Amino acid sequence: MRVPPFYERPTVKRFFAGIILGVIIGWFFFIYQYGQVYEGLVFRISEQQAIINELQDDIDLLRSEQSRLNEENQKKLTVQEIDIQFSNDRRLRLNQLTLLDLKQQALTELQYIKRKDIETVSNMNELMISNLENKVFRAGDKRYQLEVEHVHLYTTVRIFVKIIPSNS
């Protein structure tokens, strides 16, 4: 048995010609779409590169300005942070919530020294200590007083205090 020669019929020739023509048109459509997407991506990448360069210049400008401000601030240091540490919290066996409440109340009392220069704070040292020692702090249903043991002044003011249960 032999295979009939379909390639001689005009309908088969038209069918194969349509397939070849469809493949060619599809390939050109694919190339066109790929080119459009690739062009969009190249444009987006160049746009992002321009933004990156602009932001890098801004970062360099801010860093140079920051270093200039740091040099300026070295001449006139200010208090940036207040840290209160309790020396006898373990001996009194106070819970963490009570300690946190006492610390927050003491920090609220000393809020006025933040952003002041260190020279001014050192001149107000006695006022700061008496402000803490003369105040009665409430934590829960109990009252406490603080006794200042040490004060370290720099950009971070560290105050070491002793907790004294108050009777009044």
Side-chain angles (χ1 to χ4, degrees), residues 109-110 112-113 120-134:
E109 285 296 315
L110 296 175
Y112 66 93
I113 66 170
T120 306
V121 174
S122 70
N123 291 337
M124 297 185 330
N125 194 14
E126 293 301 320
L127 175 67
M128 179 179 59
I129 291 172
S130 66
N131 193 12
L132 273 180
E133 288 181 346
N134 293 332

Side-chain angles (χ1 to χ4, degrees), residues 84-97:
I84 296 177
Q85 296 179 358
F86 300 113
S87 61
N88 65 339
D89 58 343
R90 288 192 180 126
R91 191 166 29 108
L92 291 176
R93 294 185 181 159
L94 297 175
N95 61 12
Q96 293 294 322
L97 186 61

Side-chain angles (χ1 to χ4, degrees), residues 98-112:
T98 304
L99 290 174
L100 179 67
D101 193 24
L102 285 173
K103 189 175 206 174
Q104 290 301 321
Q105 289 178 32
L107 287 174
T108 304
E109 285 296 315
L110 296 175
Q111 217 44 314
Y112 66 93

Side-chain angles (χ1 to χ4, degrees), residues 3-69:
V3 177
F6 288 119
Y7 59 87
E8 292 180 0
R9 291 188 184 167
T11 56
V12 174
K13 288 180 182 178
R14 273 189 239 130
F15 174 73
F16 285 122
I19 287 178
I20 291 173
L21 189 61
V23 167
I24 291 172
I25 290 173
W27 181 252
F28 281 122
F29 180 74
F30 171 75
I31 293 294
Y32 174 75
Q33 287 296 327
Y34 179 74
Q36 291 293 325
V37 169
Y38 188 75
E39 181 181 350
L41 289 176
V42 166
F43 178 71
R44 182 188 290 172
I45 288 172
S46 63
E47 219 175 34
Q48 289 174 346
Q49 189 64 38
I51 291 171
I52 288 171
N53 290 337
E54 181 181 327
L55 292 176
Q56 192 67 36
D57 292 342
D58 288 348
I59 288 172
D60 292 340
L61 177 69
L62 290 174
R63 281 185 182 161
S64 66
E65 185 176 324
Q66 183 68 30
S67 65
R68 182 184 59 79
L69 287 174

